[in-house]
Amino acid sequence: MKTSELGTRLTIALNLWVIAVAVTLPSMRAQADAQSQVPGAPAATATEAANTLGPQELVEDSAKRMLAELDAHRAMYAQDPAKLDSLVANVLLPHFDSDYAARLVLGQTWRTATAEQRKRFVDAFYHSLLSNYGNALLNFTADRFVILPYRGDPGETTATVRTEVKKSSGEKVPVNFSLRKTDSGWKAWDVVIEGISYVKSFRTDFAAEIQQKGLDEVIARLQKENETRAGGAGGGNK
């Protein structure tokens, strides 16, 4: 798949994921800052509540919370990208298994990478995904996002939550979220858009680049791109 096409699909997928799994839990490392910047930030008890929800309930509950927050403060987030970034960063990480996804993306390379390389890649990979959406999140409303009936077995440790998003053209795009049960509750690790997995797509892209340049060069590229985007976002409101 072309990188540009993958980026477009990921933008859709990640926007949907933020809607689907946000606002039930700010990350512990930034909780105080998030609550001082984001109106209506949830209390720490949301962590315990989220951990008891099944995959379908987690998606449904979190979608309502995220959309309510956006509807209440949409103008503020539109005017202040930093607050939108803070909201997204603080609510996504707890429900996305970035370590597991990164391990699958690296594949064989994960087993030969050092602990430091793994940590740097997970961080760079996560922030690369995070920076792919942002402002597009403001365009999503409840009427464009539909969660389909759940077909999984309550006793299973893996699940697929099926959703649809309606484009401005009226076209419905199927988006499935792959989740797995962990000690801290259900977490997502993959997004499949129209049958295409972002984990598999990234694994193919990174494998070729790592083979040609090496893992350190790939990590350095991701870090540089993240820093460039962060610098551009900090240049002022649009």
Side-chain angles (χ1 to χ4, degrees):
M1 180 186 296
K2 297 290 186 181
T3 302
S4 59
E5 182 182 354
L6 175 59
T8 299
R9 291 179 179 277
L10 282 174
T11 298
I12 296 173
L14 292 169
N15 284 331
L16 286 170
W17 172 246
V18 172
I19 290 175
V21 298
V23 179
T24 53
L25 173 65
S27 65
M28 296 302 292
R29 68 187 180 192
Q31 182 177 348
D33 179 64
Q35 290 181 344
S36 66
Q37 292 187 33
V38 180
T45 53
T47 303
E48 299 174 3
N51 289 349
T52 64
L53 295 176
Q56 181 82 349
E57 291 76 21
L58 178 65
V59 170
E60 291 175 341
D61 180 69
S62 301
K64 292 177 182 177
R65 291 173 181 268
M66 186 64 178
L67 291 170
E69 171 64 18
L70 287 174
D71 286 342
H73 305 287
R74 199 173 296 271
M76 178 194 72
Y77 288 123
Q79 294 174 2
D80 193 339
K83 286 185 177 178
L84 179 59
D85 290 346
S86 178
L87 172 66
V88 173
N90 288 321
V91 300
L92 176 60
L93 182 58
H95 297 297
F96 189 83
D97 200 336
S98 53
D99 282 29
Y100 184 68
R103 187 162 72 246
L104 293 177
V105 165
L106 280 185
Q108 198 95 1
T109 304
W110 180 270
R111 291 190 282 274
T112 58
T114 66
E116 180 186 10
Q117 285 176 319
R118 291 175 179 178
K119 183 179 183 302
R120 288 169 54 219
F121 179 79
V122 168
D123 184 67
F125 177 63
Y126 169 74
H127 285 93
S128 179
L129 294 179
L130 190 66
S131 62
N132 271 307
Y133 40 89
N135 287 336
L137 182 62
L138 295 169
N139 298 323
F140 282 87
T141 53
D143 61 330
R144 294 180 62 185
F145 179 67
V146 177
I147 302 174
L148 301 176
Y150 185 56
R151 295 177 176 174
D153 186 331
E156 293 180 349
T157 57
T158 61
T160 299
V161 175
R162 300 176 303 125
T163 71
E164 286 182 345
V165 61
K166 184 189 295 184
K167 293 183 178 180
S168 55
S169 63
E171 177 188 359
K172 294 181 180 179
V173 179
V175 179
N176 296 337
F177 299 103
S178 299
L179 300 93
R180 70 189 195 110
K181 195 170 187 179
T182 72
D183 292 340
S184 55
W186 286 92
K187 290 182 182 288
W189 60 271
D190 196 9
V191 183
V192 180
I193 305 176
E194 296 181 304
I196 298 176
S197 158
Y198 95 82
V199 164
K200 291 181 180 179
S201 298
F202 263 125
R203 183 165 57 201
T204 299
D205 287 355
F206 279 127
E209 188 177 2
I210 290 171
Q211 185 176 13
Q212 181 181 12
K213 301 178 181 178
L215 180 56
D216 285 328
E217 285 294 323
V218 172
I219 295 172
R221 175 182 64 79
L222 290 173
Q223 291 174 330
K224 184 176 181 179
E225 290 176 354
N226 294 338
E227 290 170 1
T228 299
R229 279 188 290 259
N237 297 342
K238 296 182 180 180

